[in-house]
Amino acid sequence: MFYQRLTALDASFVQIEDGNVHMHVAAALLFEPGTLGKRGGGLSMERIRAYVESRLHFIPRYRQKLAYIPIEHHPVWIDDERFNLFYHVRHTALPHPGSERQLKRLCGRVMSQKLDMTKPPWEIWIVEGLSEGRFALIAKVHHCMVDGISGVDLLTVLLQPEPSEHVPRPEPWEARPAPTSQQLLVGEISRRAFLPFDAWQAAQQAFADPLAAFESARGAVTGVIELLGAGPASPTPINPEHIGPHRRFDWLRLPLSEIKIVKQQLGGTLNDVVLATVTGAMRSFLRSRGLSSAGMDFRAMIPVSIRERSERGALGNRVAQMLAALPVGEKSARRRLEKVAVTTQEMKHSHQIEATELMEQVGDWTATALLTQLVRITTARRPFNLVVTNVPGPPIPLYLLGARLVASFPMVPLYSNQALGIALFSYDRDLFWGISSDWDALPDVHNFVRALSTSFAELRRAARQR
């Protein structure tokens, strides 16, 4: 018998999902055909599926699905006895020669569809028909399985630093027996019986160093006040009362060398340059909607990895949430970057990370429904306007067998009253921006993408003048 209980944070991503809020992360990867292209056109899907199957033993979670503990309905992972690779690795095509715009529309449609939670919650769509023989891979995984950092680690399972024609023989696999409802209930009762012992151990550690324990507790409580005590951010067109189920997806590519020049000349970090670019773009976008950004309290939620080095490669979520006020009322691009740099420095001295960890521990110790309800209530209060997440990727080219990866645009899920989300991924020599949006609320999302280019150009000019 095998099962593994989800953490409170992972379980909350399952429970807050509804018909409009789809809690999957995704990415659109573009490849040169390399040796995967057939002489008469098309792709060798047989080799791609065989290769994916040969790598699954490195990520056993991808053969597991959810079951639920009776009464409290907390999810656990069990092996899928009916696992079917053909269901998860899908093949489609655009009318040749498929344009970039058509691929973006296809990505939006794929993002608009909820994952089937009765099966392992992931899909890979292989899309052929692009110009110059290129093809795309749309990877889609539920957030309860991965966060941004572990998702990057999983890419290394399929992508290698050197081209290769070798497809290993897949490791034998057999599903382990699933527990009965009674066994799940007994296991949960046993787990809860040990919680007082765990609490006693924590108390002993606190008695051993009471000053450190007091400072840690005070920091966590202070962080909770920082996160939950903040009033609502300013209302904007990207924050409707409720989003719909349909998505648009757009993207942008910027050279990392250009971003580093701005950082070197104007100061701050690479992430500060990203946030300053977002700030200038949002200022311009709001003006295009006839709104003034003067005096606006505009905030971004920035997920921060708290994954230890020893945890790299492990599935599940190890992220904290940080709130950052963006100076959308500032006219000067240089001043915007300076203000953002001050804000991010202040974030490092806040206690928001300790607060996130405390709320997760409370969820694990009590009922996950408490954490889920807290997330719903907090989101409804609109403590932030959008999510901006930046994940560092490999600085070298990667290959899917003999096909070279040339671009990777990430996608972030949208919460109930956030119609815009920004995810970034650095790879090789470029920074790739993935812009997710609600179909109805932001039909002009392409204007925001253009505003991103314009905003960065303003920073680049300021760096030249410096």
Side-chain angles (χ1 to χ4, degrees):
M1 180 192 71
F2 164 81
Y3 75 93
Q4 187 175 13
R5 192 178 190 273
L6 275 71
T7 66
L9 179 59
D10 292 345
S12 71
F13 288 132
V14 177
Q15 294 171 351
I16 66 174
E17 190 169 48
D18 59 33
N20 296 328
V21 176
H22 314 317
M23 293 306 298
H24 47 252
V25 295
L29 286 67
L30 274 63
F31 292 88
E32 295 174 346
T35 56
L36 286 176
K38 293 182 177 180
R39 181 172 298 179
L43 290 171
S44 178
M45 275 302 300
E46 298 82 4
R47 294 188 65 221
I48 293 175
R49 281 200 179 95
Y51 180 64
V52 173
E53 185 178 15
S54 74
R55 310 296 286 175
L56 283 180
H57 65 281
F58 290 111
I59 41 176
R61 179 77 81 239
Y62 276 43
R63 285 189 175 114
Q64 293 169 1
K65 63 180 182 179
L66 294 178
Y68 294 88
I69 298 171
I71 302 177
E72 76 164 4
H73 204 63
H74 188 96
V76 298
W77 292 110
I78 63 172
D79 287 347
D80 181 10
E81 74 282 1
R82 292 189 176 90
F83 179 79
N84 184 344
L85 185 68
F86 280 78
Y87 174 84
H88 296 278
V89 182
R90 305 178 177 191
H91 184 200
T92 189
L94 294 174
H96 183 78
S99 68
E100 193 172 85
R101 185 171 184 268
Q102 289 173 318
L103 179 59
K104 291 175 182 178
R105 285 290 176 91
L106 175 61
C107 291
R109 286 198 296 273
V110 171
M111 282 287 284
S112 300
Q113 302 166 11
K114 287 181 61 177
L115 286 161
D116 185 347
M117 301 304 285
T118 67
K119 297 179 172 63
W122 65 276
E123 298 169 0
I124 287 178
W125 293 69
I126 306 296
V127 186
E128 63 176 84
L130 302 180
S131 60
E132 300 177 2
R134 294 186 174 189
F135 69 94
L137 184 155
I138 305 174
K140 179 178 169 185
V141 188
H142 200 278
H143 212 337
C144 70
M145 289 180 68
V146 299
D147 60 26
I149 298 298
S150 67
V152 171
D153 286 337
L154 294 175
L155 280 179
T156 63
V157 173
L158 293 179
L159 304 178
Q160 303 298 326
E162 298 289 340
S164 173
E165 300 303 313
H166 178 58
V167 178
R169 186 183 298 274
E171 297 282 336
W173 178 82
E174 185 176 351
R176 290 162 289 189
T180 64
S181 297
Q182 182 180 6
Q183 288 172 325
L184 286 174
L185 187 58
V186 170
E188 180 63 12
I189 293 172
S190 176
R191 186 189 75 86
R192 289 187 176 275
F194 277 95
L195 287 179
F197 177 73
D198 295 338
W200 172 246
Q201 283 188 317
Q204 285 184 314
Q205 293 174 358
F207 288 135
D209 193 347
L211 182 59
F214 173 77
E215 290 296 330
S216 176
R218 184 175 68 174
V221 173
T222 301
V224 171
I225 295 173
E226 290 174 359
L227 284 174
L228 303 184
S234 295
T236 74
I238 69 169
N239 300 112
E241 186 174 352
H242 298 289
I243 62 172
H246 306 300
R247 301 289 177 265
R248 298 179 190 267
F249 185 62
D250 212 326
W251 59 58
L252 176 70
R253 179 199 303 233
L254 292 177
L256 276 171
S257 59
E258 296 286 308
I259 298 173
K260 290 177 180 177
I261 289 173
V262 172
K263 176 175 73 76
Q264 291 163 1
Q265 294 297 320
L266 301 182
T269 65
L270 188 146
N271 205 47
D272 291 339
V273 176
V274 166
L275 291 176
T277 302
V278 172
T279 303
M282 185 53 62
R283 171 185 169 83
S284 175
F285 181 74
L286 292 172
R287 290 179 64 189
S288 73
R289 288 288 193 100
L291 298 174
S292 171
S293 57
M296 183 174 285
D297 184 6
F298 189 92
R299 302 178 205 150
M301 192 274 275
I302 304 170
V304 177
S305 174
I306 54 176
R307 189 177 295 274
E308 302 289 342
R309 183 178 295 273
S310 60
E311 296 175 303
R312 287 190 67 85
L315 293 171
N317 287 269
R318 292 284 289 142
V319 292
Q321 298 181 357
M322 307 284 280
L323 297 181
L326 302 184
V328 293
E330 176 58 56
K331 296 180 181 180
S332 164
R334 181 176 60 82
R335 287 286 297 153
R336 286 196 293 265
L337 178 55
E338 290 173 355
K339 290 182 178 181
V340 164
V342 171
T343 298
T344 55
Q345 281 297 318
E346 291 173 350
M347 284 168 49
K348 294 175 183 178
H349 299 291
S350 75
H351 299 280
Q352 296 179 43
I353 291 179
E354 295 99 310
T356 302
E357 292 180 312
L358 174 62
M359 287 187 287
E360 290 179 32
Q361 288 173 356
V362 170
D364 284 325
W365 289 343
T366 55
T368 303
L370 292 177
L371 180 60
T372 303
Q373 194 63 21
L374 181 61
V375 171
R376 285 177 176 151
I377 293 172
T378 303
T379 303
R381 293 177 64 244
R382 200 179 63 246
F384 54 89
N385 298 96
L386 83 163
V387 174
V388 181
T389 178
N390 189 359
V391 177
I396 59 173
L398 296 177
Y399 297 84
L400 177 68
L401 292 175
R404 185 176 186 270
L405 175 66
V406 294
S408 178
F409 300 101
M411 308 180 202
V412 65
L414 303 178
Y415 288 97
S416 59
N417 56 4
Q418 274 90 45
L420 180 70
I422 303 173
L424 301 99
F425 182 71
S426 59
Y427 164 67
D428 199 3
R429 301 176 183 179
D430 294 307
L431 183 63
F432 296 93
W433 300 60
I435 317 299
S436 305
S437 68
D438 177 71
W439 179 271
D440 298 307
L442 292 180
D444 53 350
V445 68
H446 53 278
N447 290 335
F448 178 74
V449 177
R450 280 200 291 264
L452 285 170
S453 297
T454 303
S455 176
F456 181 72
E458 292 173 353
L459 285 168
R460 190 68 180 90
R461 283 195 298 272
R464 289 197 194 99
Q465 293 168 1
R466 188 65 175 265

